[in-house]
Amino acid sequence: MAPPSRYFDTINGATDYGAVPVPVLVDAPQSPKVLDPDEFRRQGHEVIDFIADYYSRMGDYPVHPSVKPGFLRDVLPTDAPSSPEPDAFSSALQDVRDLILPGMTHWQSPRHFAHFPASTSTVGALGEALTAGINVIPFTWAASPAATELEMVVVDWLGKALHLPESLLFAGGGGGTLLGTSCEAMLSAIVAARDQKLEEIGGNRIGDLVVYCSDQTHFAFSKAARIAGIQRDHCREIQTCHENMFALSPKALQAAIQADVDAGLVPLFLCATIGTTQTTAVDPVGELCAVAAPHGVWVHVDAAYAGSALVCEEFHHLIDGVESVDSFSMNTHKWLLANIDCCAMWVKKPSALVAALGTEPEYILKDAAASKGNDVVDYKDWSMTLTRRFRALKMWLVLRCYGTNGLRDHIRSDVRMAEAFQSMVKADPRFEVVTDRKFALVCFRLRSPHKFGGEKTANELNRALLEEINAVRSGPYMSSAMVGGMYILRCAVGSKLTQERHVKDAWEVVQDRASSLLHKMETIYSLHH
């Protein structure tokens, strides 16, 4: 493409005495006005109105869409536009309303009971908007001092609200950071533990390192271990059982560690869980730490979902012994009103993270203050990423605007609704609650009548039941798990739009679909007997 015919000229007044022409852009391409304050204000109002309308009309959408792969790609252009259409932003919002929302699973729906909640709040959403608008990259203290220091303040605020030991807080010599997900926290902790251990035994023994978890630990842990260089067959997934409510047994851990020591291997890392993904099982942290300590095993606690409940005093006993752990992480975006993404991680020895993940290239923006003995944190040295988000602003706003009392009320409200659902399940003799409910998740299943095969057909019966439930357009939407050989249904309360009537309605749908399914089985049985 040829340049414009008049692309530069000389400044008026230039002479013929050797003057060098100074380019003056004439008819040059102009950059679009992408940060125009007035346009931002107008479009911002459109977005806020759009989101507010979305929440007010949430009931108009099925919780889970009935679409097939390719449904959206088939209706959108194959290439991006070369030039914007008139009023492109408003037109794009209309496409979001007409094309995208109907193809979404609506995690904020009051009838969404699947997986775990992706909690949101008006303050959390606006905090995200504020963060995006300011748009800083606080990889070092000097790159954005206030962002770094606010993060240090927020993780100590949050740690105190969750009643974590002082040894994990900046105030007690430890410290915390805000990451994207628990996956990042696990990987950062494993890498720190790995390098610390190899410093003791020699880097050539990385192939001897072994990590431990239960068969209920999130698969992100084994993935993180592989990324960190741990051999696949050196990740010990210790079997749990229904009788122990699928918690990791200290006795079984002791046996696994001792077997590895006897084989000349090196125990490195244990991931204990507070609130497993399948059933919210709680591993006995204190007892597990007692087993791990004599072998110098780094203990990390993954409390991605249930960690939020620690703002309530009645859950504190679930982390007895937590003062002995080396690191702890939880996702405030799951159940503590901070929109995705926000994972808080605390470590007892920040120096271990820095030793493993720290970098000192010359082009990284530093500050003279960092070399004068000041208490400066460069968060780039605490995880894998250099570019990082200013998540502390959102979390600070949530803590300020709702307060710890408001967060407790929020958690307890969800727990009460889960208790109500559990009571309804127990009141119907056709069903059973499979595991002890500890938080706001109820794990249940439909009993298979003996004449239909009893336990032999129970899994297929419940798989069919879930399909029937989720096929109801108006909801509810639930998920499943396979634990101890049992296929179970999961009802997780957590959307801030969910009210008691939605929980009651959900149970009525479950009962109705179960009655229909059992009636069909009865009919088939009668035809064959």
Side-chain angles (χ1 to χ4, degrees):
M1 180 178 177
S5 57
R6 295 181 62 218
Y7 196 74
F8 69 88
D9 202 342
T10 56
I11 293 179
N12 293 335
T15 70
D16 294 331
Y17 300 101
V20 178
V22 178
V24 177
L25 297 181
V26 179
D27 297 335
Q30 297 297 308
S31 172
K33 298 175 68 175
V34 297
L35 284 179
D36 178 80
D38 292 331
E39 188 71 352
F40 184 76
R41 185 174 287 108
R42 182 184 69 80
Q43 293 175 346
H45 281 297
E46 285 189 69
V47 170
I48 295 297
D49 288 342
F50 182 96
I51 297 172
D53 289 344
Y54 169 64
Y55 283 117
S56 66
R57 295 180 54 236
M58 188 72 74
D60 295 346
Y61 297 100
V63 188
H64 187 66
S66 298
V67 295
K68 296 180 179 179
F71 79 97
L72 186 60
R73 288 182 296 167
D74 290 344
V75 298
L76 293 179
T78 56
D79 297 299
S82 56
S83 299
E85 60 193 290
D87 202 12
F89 192 80
S90 297
S91 178
L93 280 183
Q94 188 63 47
D95 282 347
V96 173
R97 181 181 291 108
D98 297 341
L99 302 178
I100 296 177
L101 288 184
M104 300 287 285
T105 297
H106 300 280
W107 285 67
Q108 306 312 318
S109 169
R111 302 183 305 278
H112 187 288
F113 299 101
H115 314 300
F116 279 133
S119 69
T120 191
S121 62
T122 53
V123 170
L126 293 172
E128 275 289 304
L130 191 58
T131 299
I134 295 174
N135 203 35
V136 297
I137 308 175
F139 53 85
T140 62
W141 178 88
S144 197
T148 295
E149 297 198 11
L150 185 62
E151 187 164 339
M152 295 173 71
V153 169
V154 164
V155 290
D156 266 18
W157 276 15
L158 183 58
K160 291 174 184 176
L162 300 178
H163 300 88
L164 296 183
E166 192 172 68
S167 57
L168 290 174
L169 311 182
F170 281 110
T177 183
L178 297 177
L179 307 172
T181 69
S182 293
C183 309
E184 294 175 58
M186 289 177 182
L187 180 55
S188 297
I190 293 174
V191 169
R194 178 200 67 191
D195 282 15
Q196 183 174 271
K197 181 66 71 174
L198 293 178
E199 184 70 22
E200 299 173 11
I201 65 175
N204 61 331
R205 295 197 65 190
I206 187 171
D208 293 333
L209 300 179
V210 185
V211 299
Y212 305 85
C213 62
S214 85
D215 58 2
Q216 300 300 305
T217 303
H218 196 282
F219 65 80
F221 174 68
S222 59
K223 185 176 182 179
R226 293 200 300 272
I227 295 172
I230 307 302
Q231 296 182 21
R232 284 178 181 265
D233 60 351
H234 282 188
C235 182
R236 308 283 185 249
E237 294 186 359
I238 300 170
Q239 186 174 354
T240 59
C241 62
H242 191 194
E243 292 74 18
N244 200 29
M245 288 297 138
F246 303 106
L248 176 56
S249 162
K251 184 177 180 180
L253 174 65
Q254 175 65 61
I257 290 178
Q258 192 58 54
D260 286 328
V261 170
D262 292 345
L265 300 177
V266 181
L268 172 69
F269 195 98
L270 166 65
C271 182
T273 307
I274 303 296
T276 58
T277 301
Q278 306 266 61
T279 64
T280 64
V282 174
D283 293 337
V285 173
E287 296 175 63
L288 295 173
C289 286
V291 171
H295 303 280
V297 171
W298 181 300
V299 179
H300 175 78
V301 172
D302 171 27
Y305 161 70
S308 297
L310 298 176
V311 296
C312 303
E313 293 83 355
E314 58 267 31
F315 294 108
H316 293 175
H317 68 282
L318 298 177
I319 56 168
D320 285 349
V322 70
E323 63 278 356
S324 298
V325 308
D326 297 281
S327 52
F328 185 104
S329 63
M330 54 82 65
N331 292 342
T332 62
H333 65 239
K334 271 195 169 67
W335 203 16
L336 212 59
L337 305 184
N339 296 38
I340 292 174
D341 56 12
C342 190
C343 168
M345 175 189 180
W346 294 267
V347 290
K348 188 173 288 183
K349 288 176 57 180
S351 59
L353 283 179
V354 175
L357 299 166
T359 55
E360 289 296 333
E362 293 183 2
Y363 62 82
I364 293 296
L365 180 60
K366 304 289 282 187
D367 190 274
S371 60
K372 294 182 179 178
N374 292 292
D375 186 17
V376 170
V377 169
D378 289 332
Y379 273 124
K380 69 177 179 63
D381 298 333
W382 288 51
S383 69
M384 285 70 63
T385 61
L386 179 60
T387 300
R388 59 197 314 276
R389 303 176 64 239
F390 186 14
R391 299 181 181 94
L393 184 58
K394 168 180 60 181
M395 196 65 236
W396 181 66
L397 287 170
V398 167
L399 289 168
R400 281 196 63 173
C401 295
Y402 298 120
T404 54
N405 287 337
L407 296 178
R408 291 185 190 106
D409 291 343
H410 145 66
I411 295 292
R412 286 168 177 158
S413 173
D414 287 351
V415 171
R416 280 194 299 270
M417 286 189 281
E419 287 174 342
F421 186 87
Q422 177 180 257
S423 296
M424 290 184 279
V425 174
K426 288 183 173 181
D428 189 330
R430 300 177 300 171
F431 291 84
E432 65 174 322
V433 174
V434 178
T435 58
D436 296 340
R437 183 205 52 76
K438 293 183 174 66
F439 306 102
L441 171 71
V442 180
C443 297
F444 68 103
R445 67 174 183 161
L446 178 62
R447 302 178 194 269
S448 180
H450 180 71
K451 64 180 179 180
F452 297 156
E455 280 300 313
K456 294 181 180 179
T457 59
N459 286 349
E460 289 306 314
L461 176 63
N462 281 279
R463 186 175 283 108
L465 175 59
L466 182 63
E467 290 178 0
E468 294 254 349
I469 292 168
N470 288 345
V472 177
R473 187 183 186 281
S474 60
Y477 182 56
M478 296 184 181
S479 57
S480 64
M482 181 70 80
V483 288
M486 296 181 291
Y487 184 93
I488 62 174
L489 278 63
R490 301 170 71 263
C491 177
V493 179
S495 167
K496 293 325 299 169
L497 297 177
T498 300
Q499 300 174 12
E500 290 181 6
R501 63 184 176 87
H502 298 111
V503 174
K504 185 174 182 295
D505 290 346
W507 174 240
E508 289 176 355
V509 170
V510 173
Q511 287 184 306
D512 176 73
R513 294 296 85 203
S515 296
S516 174
L517 194 58
L518 291 173
H519 178 70
K520 292 176 184 177
M521 294 180 71
E522 183 67 46
T523 301
I524 295 172
Y525 179 82
S526 299
L527 291 173
H528 291 84
H529 292 80

